[in-house]
Amino acid sequence: MNGFTQLLLKAGPTRLFAALGIAAVVAALLFTLVFRMGGESNALLFAGVETREAAEITQRLEQADIPYELRGDGGSIYVPRSRVLDARMMLSADGLPSRGSIGYEIFDEPDALGQTQFQQNINRLRALEGELGRTIGSLDGVASARVHLVLPERQLFARETEQPSASIVIQLRRDELTAGQVRAIRNLVASATPGLSANRVTILDETGRLLAAAASGTGEDAAAEGIDARQVATEERIRRTVTDIVEGIVGQGNARVQVTAEMDFNRVSSTTQTFDPEGRVVRSTSSTESTSTSAESARGVTAAANVPDAGGAGAGQSGSQAGDESSEETVNYEISNTTRTEVSEGGRVRRLSVAVAVDGTLTPGEGDAAPAYAPRTEEEMQRLTALVRSAVGFNQERGDIVEVVNTQFARTAAAVAAEPPGMFAFLGDLDVMRIVEIVAALIAALAFVFFVLRPLVGGLMRGGASAEGGVGVPQLAAPGGVSPAGGGAMAALPSPDDPGIDVAQVGGRVKQSSVKKMAEVVSQHPDESAQIIRGWLNNAL
């Protein structure tokens, strides 16, 4: 311990201050490196935020004492990973971010009482558009949506009014939406808007591609658009069915399918009435019976017969009586009658044409040789033809055509084989830039220690040891042998032949007077001495 204290005392204040400064710098670098390595990394809070909302979000984060970082021109906000959920919950309670749309919270403002009816109608329309945009944006595959509604005002004493309409622009998360999802969005908007029908909703994506078109008119125009859509949907359904079956046998991408369907969209209503004479049924029966009696006298006409109260005068006269009986029956029959009404809706397939092209098989060549192409056998083609006919419901009587042809496809250059995982594949989803930053800081710290601190400390230790042993500054002359004073003001280290040094007595040590002399020279020429020390350091490095 005493030796180390003596070493510090003999090193001099300049070297001590230099060593302490270097040690402080190295400690600060190491502390910063360890702090950054052990510190918590930031995670994405929100991305694609507008400038106005970004300012509100950052202000709210500052109030909550949550550190944040802005990246990507201020559109992406990062916070410590452990505070992400808390920050999102806090901002959601404040309605941030609103994604540029305003919902029914627009009516929460206290100054709504003094608004005019026009302003209230506009705010109602904005709120409805904002709520629909948020609902559509929450669907799977949709990043965001903007809704524009046209709700005409009803005019007084007007017989005809304009129908409402809607336009929707969708930003997708993937390539496209299915037909069912597009139809669901149209029905959603139509159901939430008073008086709006689904065929009056137009949907576009962010690239301007039309996903659903509104009906251009009524009557024949709308019917024509519906017919085209139904025909395309039928052809697409059959094409997907055939493609799934064929590619499941020949491989993905080895089949091309095209379908053309001639469809009958006529709506036919027919009524048939049939009478069956054998199917008689008694409907009613009527029976009538009648009986009549008549008497005839055989005497002639006399005067006594015309005398009143002469009843007894004709007692001996004779006569004859006649009777008549008749019966009648009427039977009514009902003939069996069948009436049949049949309505045939349009959309029946009148004729179907299916064309299928199937690629052959490729056999890999040896080494770098190109793969060999081989056509498929006749048995395989017959089996594929039978499968396709069964899948499309082939009907020869209506003139269906199914052609399955084996041909070689025109292919691009062979795909490059998958490269083996690189040396950094183990990193996975880690933050590579964070790791690179830590490694670079570590390398810089090590370089500073080995190339700056180590030579300085070594020179300090050697100087202290020399001072403790009575040696001054060895080899104080410049590397070229020229003294800093230029005129021999500082002599080189005396050689062993110098008579002032007794090698046998002092073991090569410099006399005390030489040490004092060199100390005086350093005091008189500090700049030259510093230059010589720099040269020593350069040689040591």
Side-chain angles (χ1 to χ4, degrees):
M1 185 66 183
N2 294 329
F4 181 73
T5 305
Q6 293 294 331
L7 177 63
L8 294 179
L9 293 176
K10 293 181 179 299
T14 304
R15 293 180 179 179
L16 289 178
F17 288 144
L20 292 176
I22 294 173
V25 172
V26 172
L29 290 176
L30 293 177
F31 177 78
T32 303
L33 179 62
V34 173
F35 179 77
R36 292 291 300 273
M37 292 180 62
E40 184 179 6
S41 60
N42 291 338
L44 179 63
L45 179 63
F46 293 113
V49 182
E50 296 182 356
T51 306
R52 178 181 58 82
E53 292 190 344
E56 297 179 2
I57 292 175
T58 54
Q59 183 179 4
R60 189 67 181 88
L61 292 176
E62 290 177 355
Q63 295 176 358
D65 293 334
I66 298 177
Y68 63 89
E69 181 182 359
L70 297 178
R71 301 180 186 175
D73 297 335
S76 300
I77 303 175
Y78 288 78
V79 299
R81 190 176 298 275
S82 61
R83 306 292 300 273
V84 171
L85 296 179
D86 296 339
R88 288 180 179 176
M89 294 294 292
M90 177 190 65
L91 295 173
S92 298
D94 296 339
L96 294 173
S98 63
R99 298 296 181 187
S101 60
I102 300 176
Y104 286 116
E105 65 272 9
I106 192 174
F107 296 106
D108 297 338
E109 298 180 2
D111 57 347
L113 184 62
Q115 293 181 352
T116 62
Q117 184 178 2
F118 175 78
Q119 291 175 335
Q120 292 180 354
N121 292 337
I122 293 298
N123 289 338
R124 174 177 173 272
L125 183 62
R126 292 176 60 191
L128 183 58
E129 291 176 347
E131 293 294 334
L132 288 174
R134 293 176 182 177
T135 303
I136 297 174
S138 64
L139 300 178
D140 182 25
V142 179
S144 61
R146 294 196 64 183
V147 181
H148 303 278
L149 298 177
V150 178
L151 303 179
E153 296 182 1
R154 183 176 180 180
Q155 303 294 334
L156 296 177
F157 310 107
R159 296 182 179 180
E160 297 181 358
T161 58
E162 186 179 356
Q163 296 296 323
S165 60
S167 300
I168 306 174
V169 180
I170 297 177
Q171 184 179 0
L172 303 178
R173 296 184 184 273
R174 51 176 181 259
D175 294 338
E176 60 181 358
L177 298 177
T178 63
Q181 290 175 320
V182 174
R183 189 164 53 252
I185 293 175
R186 298 183 72 179
N187 293 331
L188 170 67
V189 176
S191 301
T193 306
L196 180 62
S197 58
N199 59 355
R200 298 278 296 174
V201 180
T202 303
I203 302 178
L204 291 82
D205 62 4
E206 71 275 12
T207 62
R209 181 177 53 181
L210 184 64
L211 302 180
S216 58
T218 57
E220 297 181 357
D221 294 338
E225 292 181 359
I227 289 173
D228 294 339
R230 292 180 61 183
Q231 182 171 356
V232 171
T234 301
E235 294 176 349
E236 182 64 20
R237 177 179 57 82
I238 298 175
R239 190 191 67 80
R240 286 199 305 266
T241 302
V242 176
T243 302
D244 292 341
I245 293 178
V246 177
E247 286 188 348
I249 299 175
V250 301
Q252 187 73 22
N254 292 328
R256 303 290 185 270
V257 181
Q258 292 295 332
V259 178
T260 301
E262 296 181 6
M263 306 186 68
D264 185 7
F265 292 97
N266 296 327
R267 188 174 185 273
V268 180
S269 177
S270 61
T271 303
T272 304
Q273 188 174 9
T274 305
F275 295 92
D276 185 9
E278 300 297 332
R280 295 180 300 174
V281 179
V282 177
R283 183 176 183 181
S284 62
T285 301
S286 178
S287 299
T288 304
E289 295 182 358
S290 62
T291 303
S292 62
T293 304
S294 62
E296 296 181 354
S297 177
R299 64 178 184 174
V301 179
T302 60
N306 295 326
V307 177
D309 300 331
Q317 296 178 358
S318 61
S320 60
Q321 294 181 353
D324 186 13
E325 295 181 0
S326 62
S327 62
E328 181 180 357
E329 182 178 3
T330 302
V331 180
N332 295 324
Y333 293 92
E334 189 71 27
I335 301 176
S336 177
N337 181 17
T338 303
T339 302
R340 181 179 180 181
T341 302
E342 181 179 359
V343 178
S344 299
E345 296 290 343
R348 295 179 299 175
V349 177
R350 187 163 53 189
R351 185 171 178 270
L352 196 63
S353 299
V354 181
V356 182
V358 180
D359 195 9
T361 58
L362 295 177
T363 303
E366 298 180 358
D368 296 336
Y373 173 81
R376 299 187 181 274
T377 62
E378 187 65 25
E379 182 181 357
E380 290 179 339
M381 298 306 299
Q382 291 179 0
R383 186 167 61 251
L384 289 175
T385 303
L387 287 175
V388 173
R389 289 183 176 180
S390 300
V392 301
F394 177 77
N395 189 350
Q396 189 175 4
E397 295 180 356
R398 67 184 181 186
D400 292 351
I401 300 175
V402 175
E403 293 289 343
V404 182
V405 180
N406 181 208
T407 182
Q408 184 176 5
F409 288 0
R411 298 182 179 274
T412 57
V416 180
E419 297 182 356
M423 59 181 300
F424 297 104
F426 67 93
L427 295 177
D429 297 331
L430 297 178
D431 192 352
V432 180
M433 296 304 298
R434 174 71 174 173
I435 297 176
V436 171
E437 180 182 354
I438 294 174
V439 172
L442 181 61
I443 293 175
L446 293 177
F448 183 81
V449 171
F450 282 99
F451 295 103
V452 178
L453 182 62
R454 182 171 175 270
L456 290 178
V457 173
L460 178 62
M461 297 298 293
R462 287 194 299 271
S466 300
E468 183 181 1
V471 180
V473 182
Q475 298 179 353
L476 194 57
V482 180
S483 65
M490 183 177 294
L493 183 65
S495 63
D497 298 335
D498 191 344
I501 299 177
D502 188 358
V503 178
Q505 296 294 329
V506 300
R509 295 183 180 180
V510 182
K511 293 187 300 183
Q512 187 70 23
S513 59
S514 300
V515 175
K516 293 182 179 180
K517 183 178 180 180
M518 295 179 69
E520 293 175 358
V521 172
V522 171
S523 300
Q524 295 175 1
H525 305 279
D527 296 336
E528 290 81 357
S529 301
Q531 184 177 0
I532 293 175
I533 294 176
R534 292 193 188 96
W536 291 347
L537 294 178
N538 292 333
N539 294 334
L541 295 178

